[in-house]
PDB file of all heavy atoms in Angstrom:
ATOM      1  N   VAL B  24      25.773  54.160  -5.101  1.00  0.00           N
ATOM      2  CA  VAL B  24      26.779  55.117  -5.682  1.00  0.00           C
ATOM      3  C   VAL B  24      25.994  56.415  -5.999  1.00  0.00           C
ATOM      4  O   VAL B  24      24.840  56.402  -6.603  1.00  0.00           O
ATOM      5  CB  VAL B  24      27.295  54.575  -7.021  1.00  0.00           C
ATOM      6  CG1 VAL B  24      28.243  55.527  -7.691  1.00  0.00           C
ATOM      7  CG2 VAL B  24      28.059  53.235  -6.709  1.00  0.00           C
ATOM      8  N   GLN B  25      26.633  57.550  -5.735  1.00  0.00           N
ATOM      9  CA  GLN B  25      26.063  58.850  -6.044  1.00  0.00           C
ATOM     10  C   GLN B  25      27.076  59.621  -6.944  1.00  0.00           C
ATOM     11  O   GLN B  25      28.341  59.544  -6.735  1.00  0.00           O
ATOM     12  CB  GLN B  25      25.682  59.681  -4.766  1.00  0.00           C
ATOM     13  CG  GLN B  25      26.663  59.748  -3.749  1.00  0.00           C
ATOM     14  CD  GLN B  25      27.601  60.959  -3.778  1.00  0.00           C
ATOM     15  OE1 GLN B  25      27.366  61.843  -4.559  1.00  0.00           O
ATOM     16  NE2 GLN B  25      28.510  60.995  -2.825  1.00  0.00           N
ATOM     17  N   ASP B  26      26.536  60.458  -7.742  1.00  0.00           N
ATOM     18  CA  ASP B  26      27.470  61.204  -8.681  1.00  0.00           C
ATOM     19  C   ASP B  26      27.369  62.721  -8.413  1.00  0.00           C
ATOM     20  O   ASP B  26      27.696  63.517  -9.364  1.00  0.00           O
ATOM     21  CB  ASP B  26      27.014  60.931 -10.159  1.00  0.00           C
ATOM     22  CG  ASP B  26      25.618  61.390 -10.516  1.00  0.00           C
ATOM     23  OD1 ASP B  26      24.890  62.011  -9.657  1.00  0.00           O
ATOM     24  OD2 ASP B  26      25.240  61.146 -11.688  1.00  0.00           O
ATOM     25  N   MET B  27      26.973  63.093  -7.220  1.00  0.00           N
ATOM     26  CA  MET B  27      26.799  64.558  -6.962  1.00  0.00           C
ATOM     27  C   MET B  27      27.986  65.048  -6.067  1.00  0.00           C
ATOM     28  O   MET B  27      27.852  66.178  -5.544  1.00  0.00           O
ATOM     29  CB  MET B  27      25.506  64.712  -6.251  1.00  0.00           C
ATOM     30  CG  MET B  27      24.301  64.355  -7.184  1.00  0.00           C
ATOM     31  SD  MET B  27      22.763  64.207  -6.220  1.00  0.00           S
ATOM     32  CE  MET B  27      22.989  62.504  -5.592  1.00  0.00           C
ATOM     33  N   ASP B  28      29.008  64.299  -5.813  1.00  0.00           N
ATOM     34  CA  ASP B  28      30.113  64.676  -4.989  1.00  0.00           C
ATOM     35  C   ASP B  28      29.588  65.014  -3.518  1.00  0.00           C
ATOM     36  O   ASP B  28      30.202  65.962  -2.894  1.00  0.00           O
ATOM     37  CB  ASP B  28      30.860  65.897  -5.652  1.00  0.00           C
ATOM     38  CG  ASP B  28      32.251  65.976  -5.030  1.00  0.00           C
ATOM     39  OD1 ASP B  28      32.943  64.967  -4.746  1.00  0.00           O
ATOM     40  OD2 ASP B  28      32.729  67.176  -4.953  1.00  0.00           O
ATOM     41  N   HIS B  29      28.672  64.382  -3.036  1.00  0.00           N
ATOM     42  CA  HIS B  29      28.088  64.573  -1.708  1.00  0.00           C
ATOM     43  C   HIS B  29      29.039  64.010  -0.614  1.00  0.00           C
ATOM     44  O   HIS B  29      29.502  62.853  -0.757  1.00  0.00           O
ATOM     45  CB  HIS B  29      26.671  63.999  -1.588  1.00  0.00           C
ATOM     46  CG  HIS B  29      25.642  64.864  -2.294  1.00  0.00           C
ATOM     47  ND1 HIS B  29      24.370  64.375  -2.590  1.00  0.00           N
ATOM     48  CD2 HIS B  29      25.686  66.146  -2.719  1.00  0.00           C
ATOM     49  CE1 HIS B  29      23.701  65.316  -3.071  1.00  0.00           C
ATOM     50  NE2 HIS B  29      24.412  66.394  -3.237  1.00  0.00           N
ATOM     51  N   GLU B  30      29.138  64.787   0.429  1.00  0.00           N
ATOM     52  CA  GLU B  30      29.930  64.272   1.575  1.00  0.00           C
ATOM     53  C   GLU B  30      29.189  63.239   2.389  1.00  0.00           C
ATOM     54  O   GLU B  30      29.714  62.273   2.893  1.00  0.00           O
ATOM     55  CB  GLU B  30      30.262  65.481   2.488  1.00  0.00           C
ATOM     56  CG  GLU B  30      31.151  66.473   1.920  1.00  0.00           C
ATOM     57  CD  GLU B  30      30.566  67.458   1.011  1.00  0.00           C
ATOM     58  OE1 GLU B  30      29.259  67.416   0.979  1.00  0.00           O
ATOM     59  OE2 GLU B  30      31.306  68.214   0.452  1.00  0.00           O
ATOM     60  N   ASN B  31      27.877  63.392   2.506  1.00  0.00           N
ATOM     61  CA  ASN B  31      27.048  62.533   3.355  1.00  0.00           C
ATOM     62  C   ASN B  31      26.222  61.502   2.712  1.00  0.00           C
ATOM     63  O   ASN B  31      25.572  61.837   1.696  1.00  0.00           O
ATOM     64  CB  ASN B  31      26.105  63.450   4.196  1.00  0.00           C
ATOM     65  CG  ASN B  31      26.749  64.625   4.855  1.00  0.00           C
ATOM     66  OD1 ASN B  31      27.615  64.410   5.680  1.00  0.00           O
ATOM     67  ND2 ASN B  31      26.441  65.829   4.408  1.00  0.00           N
ATOM     68  N   MET B  32      26.366  60.324   3.168  1.00  0.00           N
ATOM     69  CA  MET B  32      25.491  59.195   2.606  1.00  0.00           C
ATOM     70  C   MET B  32      24.917  58.437   3.735  1.00  0.00           C
ATOM     71  O   MET B  32      25.432  58.383   4.899  1.00  0.00           O
ATOM     72  CB  MET B  32      26.406  58.356   1.790  1.00  0.00           C
ATOM     73  CG  MET B  32      26.978  59.082   0.542  1.00  0.00           C
ATOM     74  SD  MET B  32      27.815  57.969  -0.668  1.00  0.00           S
ATOM     75  CE  MET B  32      26.458  57.091  -1.454  1.00  0.00           C
ATOM     76  N   PHE B  33      23.762  57.848   3.465  1.00  0.00           N
ATOM     77  CA  PHE B  33      22.872  57.249   4.512  1.00  0.00           C
ATOM     78  C   PHE B  33      22.287  55.949   3.942  1.00  0.00           C
ATOM     79  O   PHE B  33      22.008  55.779   2.764  1.00  0.00           O
ATOM     80  CB  PHE B  33      21.630  58.157   4.770  1.00  0.00           C
ATOM     81  CG  PHE B  33      22.016  59.566   5.093  1.00  0.00           C
ATOM     82  CD1 PHE B  33      22.398  60.441   4.169  1.00  0.00           C
ATOM     83  CD2 PHE B  33      21.983  59.960   6.431  1.00  0.00           C
ATOM     84  CE1 PHE B  33      22.649  61.819   4.480  1.00  0.00           C
ATOM     85  CE2 PHE B  33      22.358  61.277   6.801  1.00  0.00           C
ATOM     86  CZ  PHE B  33      22.663  62.191   5.746  1.00  0.00           C
ATOM     87  N   TRP B  34      22.085  54.961   4.928  1.00  0.00           N
ATOM     88  CA  TRP B  34      21.300  53.793   4.627  1.00  0.00           C
ATOM     89  C   TRP B  34      20.145  53.741   5.563  1.00  0.00           C
ATOM     90  O   TRP B  34      20.268  53.887   6.796  1.00  0.00           O
ATOM     91  CB  TRP B  34      22.155  52.556   4.786  1.00  0.00           C
ATOM     92  CG  TRP B  34      22.940  52.178   3.617  1.00  0.00           C
ATOM     93  CD1 TRP B  34      24.315  52.241   3.367  1.00  0.00           C
ATOM     94  CD2 TRP B  34      22.461  51.591   2.377  1.00  0.00           C
ATOM     95  NE1 TRP B  34      24.613  51.874   2.205  1.00  0.00           N
ATOM     96  CE2 TRP B  34      23.510  51.390   1.521  1.00  0.00           C
ATOM     97  CE3 TRP B  34      21.149  51.242   2.009  1.00  0.00           C
ATOM     98  CZ2 TRP B  34      23.380  50.760   0.279  1.00  0.00           C
ATOM     99  CZ3 TRP B  34      21.010  50.657   0.716  1.00  0.00           C
ATOM    100  CH2 TRP B  34      22.091  50.468  -0.112  1.00  0.00           C
ATOM    101  N   TYR B  35      18.951  53.563   4.982  1.00  0.00           N
ATOM    102  CA  TYR B  35      17.712  53.358   5.699  1.00  0.00           C
ATOM    103  C   TYR B  35      17.064  52.015   5.405  1.00  0.00           C
ATOM    104  O   TYR B  35      17.296  51.534   4.298  1.00  0.00           O
ATOM    105  CB  TYR B  35      16.680  54.434   5.336  1.00  0.00           C
ATOM    106  CG  TYR B  35      17.112  55.815   5.636  1.00  0.00           C
ATOM    107  CD1 TYR B  35      17.696  56.718   4.688  1.00  0.00           C
ATOM    108  CD2 TYR B  35      16.765  56.455   6.927  1.00  0.00           C
ATOM    109  CE1 TYR B  35      18.061  57.999   4.908  1.00  0.00           C
ATOM    110  CE2 TYR B  35      17.076  57.828   7.127  1.00  0.00           C
ATOM    111  CZ  TYR B  35      17.719  58.484   6.162  1.00  0.00           C
ATOM    112  OH  TYR B  35      18.059  59.842   6.493  1.00  0.00           O
ATOM    113  N   ARG B  36      16.291  51.537   6.324  1.00  0.00           N
ATOM    114  CA  ARG B  36      15.299  50.556   5.941  1.00  0.00           C
ATOM    115  C   ARG B  36      13.962  51.035   6.184  1.00  0.00           C
ATOM    116  O   ARG B  36      13.707  51.830   7.111  1.00  0.00           O
ATOM    117  CB  ARG B  36      15.529  49.169   6.723  1.00  0.00           C
ATOM    118  CG  ARG B  36      15.314  49.202   8.184  1.00  0.00           C
ATOM    119  CD  ARG B  36      15.577  47.769   8.745  1.00  0.00           C
ATOM    120  NE  ARG B  36      14.380  46.941   8.573  1.00  0.00           N
ATOM    121  CZ  ARG B  36      14.284  45.665   8.950  1.00  0.00           C
ATOM    122  NH1 ARG B  36      15.417  45.077   9.449  1.00  0.00           N
ATOM    123  NH2 ARG B  36      13.217  44.941   8.655  1.00  0.00           N
ATOM    124  N   GLN B  37      13.029  50.568   5.291  1.00  0.00           N
ATOM    125  CA  GLN B  37      11.684  51.048   5.284  1.00  0.00           C
ATOM    126  C   GLN B  37      10.745  49.905   5.534  1.00  0.00           C
ATOM    127  O   GLN B  37      10.767  48.952   4.718  1.00  0.00           O
ATOM    128  CB  GLN B  37      11.262  51.785   4.011  1.00  0.00           C
ATOM    129  CG  GLN B  37       9.869  52.315   4.027  1.00  0.00           C
ATOM    130  CD  GLN B  37       9.538  53.042   2.701  1.00  0.00           C
ATOM    131  OE1 GLN B  37      10.240  53.165   1.812  1.00  0.00           O
ATOM    132  NE2 GLN B  37       8.336  53.658   2.732  1.00  0.00           N
TER     133      GLN B  37
END
Side-chain angles (χ1 to χ4, degrees):
Chain B
V24 177
Q25 51 95 4
D26 66 359
M27 295 164 280
D28 201 34
H29 282 165
E30 293 80 7
N31 307 299
M32 296 187 74
F33 306 79
W34 274 106
Y35 296 92
R36 66 177 280 175
Q37 182 180 4

